[in-house]
Amino acid sequence: MFLGRTLLGAIGLTGLVLPVTSAIPTVTSKVDLCHVVDAEFPGKVGFANSTEYENSQSSYYTAQEREVVPSCVFRPTSANDVANFVKLAVANDPCSKGCSLSQPLFAVRSGGHTLWQGAANANGSVTVDMRSLASFSLSADRKNASVGAGTNFAEVYPQLVPHNLTVIGARVPGPAAGGFLSGGGKNFLSRRHGFGCDNIFGYEVVLASGQVAYASEDENEDLWLALKGGSNNFAIITRFDLATYPLSLMWGGTQALEFTPAVLQAQAQAFSDFMLPENVDNAADVGVLIGFLNGSFFLENTIFYSEAVANPPVFANFTSIPGITSQSLNLTTVADRVNLDGSVVPLTIPRSFELVYAFSNGAAAIYSRLFQILQTGIGKIAKTEGLEIQFLIQPMPVTNGTNSLGLPVLDTNLVLMVFTGAWANVADDSTVTNAMQFIVSHQEAVLQRAGLLIGFKYLNYADVTQNPISTYGAKNVAGLWATSKKYDPNGLWQSRVPGYKLPYNN
């Protein structure tokens, strides 16, 4: 996701994300699902050219998702609405055998921030828009907060400020709880408290049967763990019950720097040193961003400290770099920090593509080599109309292992890279995506030769072609399949609802 300047913003497993069958699908003559749902839920279904339909379509973050044409949009307002919808959808599925995700029964969206086409929008069928399930409540002891799946975290944080509390939610406005938390979730406090999904003690969900259920450590524990990183493969999540954490003020903001070889070298050294075990401060997080905009490269840092401490020494190597042209670093609430950063994040972006990889921290020379590969590769497509690039390195959340991701527990040495591109014209799709994949393949080769590359692909930043769930490890993938077969024996979520699907064994 874009976070800067004008856009500031495998172990024998193959991830067949869009499983198809060579058999011809068996289609039965059942009535149109959109009209069935409209009759059952008057006023909650929008058809083409209606305000409700256009509101949903226009709000997708990326052009590729906005180009998908669902037959209608359903806006449930409760878990019971979702449950009844699932029952109707299954009962009126026109495909009874050999079905595939190329013709989905329905899709489910919350914030609509996943970039790739068809991730959360159903061409020719029903898209379930969860944004009306936007709710927030705080427990009497203030230790837990409950949010609906369609909730924008930018609307949650201000309600926690009076209590000097926060939750592990999104760092910019736009992403909603549903997608953000089911894929993991990186936050300002993620080096201390891990992924957002590590901090969920309970889920209210609708199963493939249409049953409303609850999953927690004490109830449906296998489902609870599967939902922590397993995306939409097991149920439709309607509510998350989250842990809260004390936080009054945090410190941080952004720096802009000269784009010169000397500054890039200083950045590489500063980040490498920041990640060393002796320098770990779990309140500190940083992102080093190389961008390309209007034909030129630029360099920015994001710096965050999740305590009310100005200018903490852990960032000295960054704040003292020669070549800083501007910076805005201050004490704010989380709510204000999110809104400040959100003020320069566009509501939508043009055509886009995103790739991710992860690795263990290395010497400054490793980062310098990654930067060089990036610059050379982007130089070859620099004249692409409307080209905007962001290459961001940041620490991986330090997980406690209470999830399905398969990352080592309490490892502070891991780095997460997200590489995002945007451009203007469909005709340039292959040019840009091929160039980005070429850059990443060369960078991964450098890391592999250095013994630093790890297989994990963080789902929330991954393209569908990277098959992120296949990188969770064989044991975890087997557990996810067992959970899927237990709670969805007919394979609704695997064959009829698009998204990042479970991988298949060869």
Side-chain angles (χ1 to χ4, degrees):
M1 183 179 299
F2 280 102
L3 295 173
R5 271 194 195 179
T6 54
L7 288 184
L8 193 96
I11 310 179
L13 294 167
T14 301
L16 302 178
V17 182
L18 298 179
V20 296
T21 176
S22 57
I24 298 174
T26 301
V27 179
T28 58
S29 56
K30 295 187 179 181
V31 294
D32 177 73
L33 181 58
C34 280
H35 289 92
V36 172
V37 178
D38 187 40
E40 181 71 19
F41 301 98
K44 295 183 179 181
V45 177
F47 291 88
N49 300 317
S50 69
T51 300
E52 295 81 6
Y53 184 97
E54 295 303 325
N55 173 272
S56 183
Q57 285 292 97
S58 64
S59 67
Y60 281 98
Y61 192 57
T62 182
Q64 285 98 321
E65 278 285 72
R66 297 193 295 274
E67 291 168 357
V68 176
V69 183
S71 295
C72 65
V73 175
F74 171 52
R75 292 286 297 264
T77 58
S78 69
N80 283 336
D81 280 357
V82 176
N84 289 329
F85 166 80
V86 169
K87 293 174 184 176
L88 282 175
V90 171
N92 290 277
D93 189 349
C95 185
S96 61
K97 184 179 180 181
C99 310
S100 87
L101 292 175
S102 62
Q103 296 177 305
L105 178 59
F106 62 88
V108 183
R109 64 159 293 184
S110 49
H113 266 239
T114 303
L115 302 191
W116 52 274
Q117 189 169 71
N121 207 359
N123 193 57
S125 193
V126 184
T127 291
V128 182
D129 188 334
M130 300 288 285
R131 290 178 299 159
S132 292
L133 274 78
S135 60
F136 168 81
S137 63
L138 192 60
S139 64
D141 62 7
R142 301 179 183 173
K143 292 182 178 180
N144 306 308
S146 296
V147 299
T151 305
N152 183 334
F153 280 102
E155 298 171 358
V156 170
Y157 297 129
Q159 299 180 75
L160 291 166
V161 167
H163 307 288
N164 291 323
L165 295 172
T166 192
V167 292
I168 312 301
R171 295 175 290 178
V172 293
F180 177 83
L181 291 172
S182 64
K186 179 166 170 56
N187 176 266
F188 307 112
L189 285 78
S190 281
R191 298 200 85 199
R192 177 173 290 177
H193 296 299
F195 291 92
C197 67
D198 293 339
N199 299 277
I200 301 169
F201 69 85
Y203 300 82
E204 179 188 73
V205 302
V206 173
L207 302 175
S209 64
Q211 175 190 353
V212 179
Y214 193 73
S216 68
E217 189 173 14
D218 300 321
E219 184 178 358
N220 300 314
E221 182 186 12
D222 51 354
L223 180 59
W224 176 68
L225 286 170
L227 293 168
K228 293 171 173 281
S231 196
N232 70 345
N233 286 290
F234 310 98
I236 298 177
I237 303 169
T238 54
R239 190 187 78 232
F240 300 85
D241 295 334
L242 313 172
T244 62
Y245 296 102
L247 186 62
S248 55
L249 297 175
M250 62 177 291
W251 182 83
T254 59
Q255 296 176 317
L257 304 96
E258 296 173 352
F259 193 85
T260 66
V263 174
L264 282 171
Q265 174 59 34
Q267 287 278 86
Q269 190 67 61
F271 189 85
S272 177
D273 289 346
F274 176 83
M275 293 296 298
L276 292 174
E278 61 266 30
N279 295 329
V280 169
D281 180 337
N282 66 16
D285 204 357
V286 67
V288 171
L289 184 145
I290 297 177
F292 183 86
L293 178 67
N294 297 327
S296 299
F297 285 98
F298 64 90
L299 187 58
E300 291 185 351
N301 293 331
T302 55
I303 293 174
F304 303 116
Y305 199 74
S306 54
E307 291 183 4
V309 177
N311 297 300
V314 67
F315 296 121
N317 285 352
F318 290 100
T319 56
S320 64
I321 290 177
I324 296 173
T325 59
S326 66
Q327 62 184 6
S328 175
L329 303 170
N330 45 59
L331 287 166
T332 65
T333 64
V334 171
D336 287 343
R337 178 79 267 152
V338 169
N339 285 329
L340 282 168
D341 292 346
S343 67
V344 289
V345 176
L347 294 176
T348 61
I349 60 175
R351 309 197 65 74
S352 53
F353 184 61
E354 192 163 70
L355 295 168
V356 67
Y357 59 75
F359 58 101
S360 296
N361 181 47
I366 291 290
Y367 294 100
S368 293
R369 183 64 183 133
L370 300 182
F371 298 165
Q372 290 165 1
I373 293 169
L374 173 70
Q375 292 174 77
T376 301
I378 296 304
K380 296 177 181 179
I381 59 170
K383 294 184 179 180
T384 303
E385 184 178 349
L387 182 66
E388 303 183 40
I389 293 292
Q390 293 191 356
F391 176 87
L392 175 68
I393 55 172
Q394 56 191 326
M396 181 79 73
V398 180
T399 179
N400 61 17
T402 311
N403 55 52
S404 59
L405 303 174
L407 285 167
V409 173
L410 302 180
D411 191 336
T412 62
N413 194 46
L414 300 180
V415 180
L416 186 60
M417 188 290 304
V418 56
F419 184 23
T420 313
W423 61 98
N425 302 315
V426 176
D428 293 320
D429 283 7
S430 294
T431 297
V432 178
T433 58
N434 288 344
M436 291 178 65
Q437 288 171 326
F438 183 80
I439 290 167
V440 165
S441 68
H442 278 245
Q443 291 176 329
E444 287 185 321
V446 168
L447 294 166
Q448 184 71 55
R449 287 194 296 269
L452 299 174
L453 186 68
I454 68 171
F456 177 74
K457 300 289 190 291
Y458 175 46
L459 186 147
N460 283 358
Y461 294 164
D463 183 64
V464 64
T465 60
Q466 294 189 285
N467 307 318
I469 297 176
S470 73
T471 70
Y472 292 3
K475 182 178 179 180
N476 282 2
V477 170
L480 293 175
W481 268 115
T483 303
S484 172
K485 292 173 181 177
K486 176 179 177 181
Y487 293 93
D488 180 21
N490 296 320
L492 173 67
W493 311 118
Q494 296 307 306
S495 64
R496 306 300 288 129
V497 181
Y500 298 98
K501 299 293 96 177
L502 300 182
Y504 285 81
N505 277 317
N506 279 333

